[in-house]
């Protein structure tokens, strides 16, 4: 059996046991969403509420009816991830103190939808918090100069001319 490329992926139990620490990290400036799940497979994502809000999450995906306290999330996380597995998980769950959300729990599919990412290719583990992009040229692509790129845009042509004059190139 080969090792999972996500061997450092937190398990559901890890996240549930440290939910106060997770909320603390997001409260104190952590901004990177992270995936977690069992068996080395990303099953859910926790993101900051700020990212969710900036990407129009409530308009796109909705939200759970109330802001859930961290300790409630810690207790209910296994059942929530089980609902994600079954495909019965509802809108993302906002977590925070009082009525102010700090973070959001959602499925990997919901996070990908929120970000506008494509589906992963077949056979690729679905962790939308880890992105790689193929930057290889496509068949038939050819290099072009900055002048070719700017040929139909007078503003860009003017900017290039100013840069060249400042550098002494023109």
């Amino acid at each position: 059996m080969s090792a999972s490329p996500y061997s450092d992926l937190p398990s559901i139990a890890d996240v549930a046991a440290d939910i106060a620490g997770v909320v603390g990290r997001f409260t104190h400036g952590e901004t990177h969403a992270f995936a977690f799940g069992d068996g080395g497979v990303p099953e859910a994502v926790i993101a900051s509420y700020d990212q969710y809000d900036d990407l129009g999450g409530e308009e796109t995906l909705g939200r759970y009816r109330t802001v859930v306290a961290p300790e409630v999330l810690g207790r209910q996380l296994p059942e929530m991830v089980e609902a994600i597995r079954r495909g019965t998980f509802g809108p993302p769950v906002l977590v925070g103190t009082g009525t102010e959300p700090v973070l959001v729990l959602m499925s990997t599919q919901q996070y990908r939808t929120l970000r506008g990412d494509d589906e992963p290719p077949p056979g690729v583990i679905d962790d939308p918090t880890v992105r790689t992009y193929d930057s290889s040229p496509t068949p038939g692509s050819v290099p072009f100069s900055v002048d070719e790129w700017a040929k139909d845009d007078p503003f860009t042509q003017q900017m290039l001319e100013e840069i060249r004059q400042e550098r002494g190139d023109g």
Side-chain angles (χ1 to χ4, degrees):
M1 184 167 149
S2 65
S4 166
Y6 293 95
S7 59
D8 60 344
L9 188 74
S11 71
I12 297 160
D14 293 337
V15 175
D18 188 34
I19 201 66
V22 171
V23 171
R25 288 192 301 274
F26 278 94
T27 302
H28 294 99
E30 175 63 48
T31 59
H32 298 289
F34 70 93
F36 62 96
D38 289 339
V41 178
E43 298 181 273
V45 172
I46 290 181
S48 73
Y49 179 76
D50 288 342
Q51 180 186 30
Y52 186 71
D53 189 45
D54 289 347
L55 294 173
E58 290 195 28
E59 294 81 32
T60 305
L61 301 174
R63 66 177 273 182
Y64 189 70
R65 64 186 175 274
T66 61
V67 175
V68 174
E71 59 274 9
V72 173
L73 178 65
R75 283 193 310 271
Q76 294 182 356
L77 190 60
E79 291 83 19
M80 290 179 183
V81 174
E82 185 56 40
I84 289 171
R85 290 176 186 145
R86 287 191 314 266
T88 59
F89 185 70
V93 175
L94 280 52
V95 181
T97 53
T99 59
E100 291 300 314
V102 174
L103 56 88
V104 182
L105 169 74
M106 63 192 98
S107 70
T108 55
Q109 174 65 44
Q110 287 171 323
Y111 188 68
R112 188 181 328 95
T113 299
L114 180 68
R115 290 181 34 122
D117 292 340
D118 294 333
E119 295 283 333
V124 172
I125 292 180
D126 180 16
D127 185 348
T129 65
V130 178
R131 300 287 299 166
T132 58
Y133 299 92
D134 181 7
S135 59
S136 304
T138 58
S141 63
V142 295
F144 60 91
S145 71
V146 71
D147 291 309
E148 289 173 299
W149 175 69
K151 73 178 179 175
D152 295 324
D153 184 2
F155 176 76
T156 304
Q157 291 173 2
Q158 178 185 349
M159 295 301 295
L160 285 172
E161 183 59 32
E162 290 174 13
I163 291 168
R164 288 178 175 137
Q165 287 176 1
E166 287 175 12
R167 290 178 30 192
D169 295 346

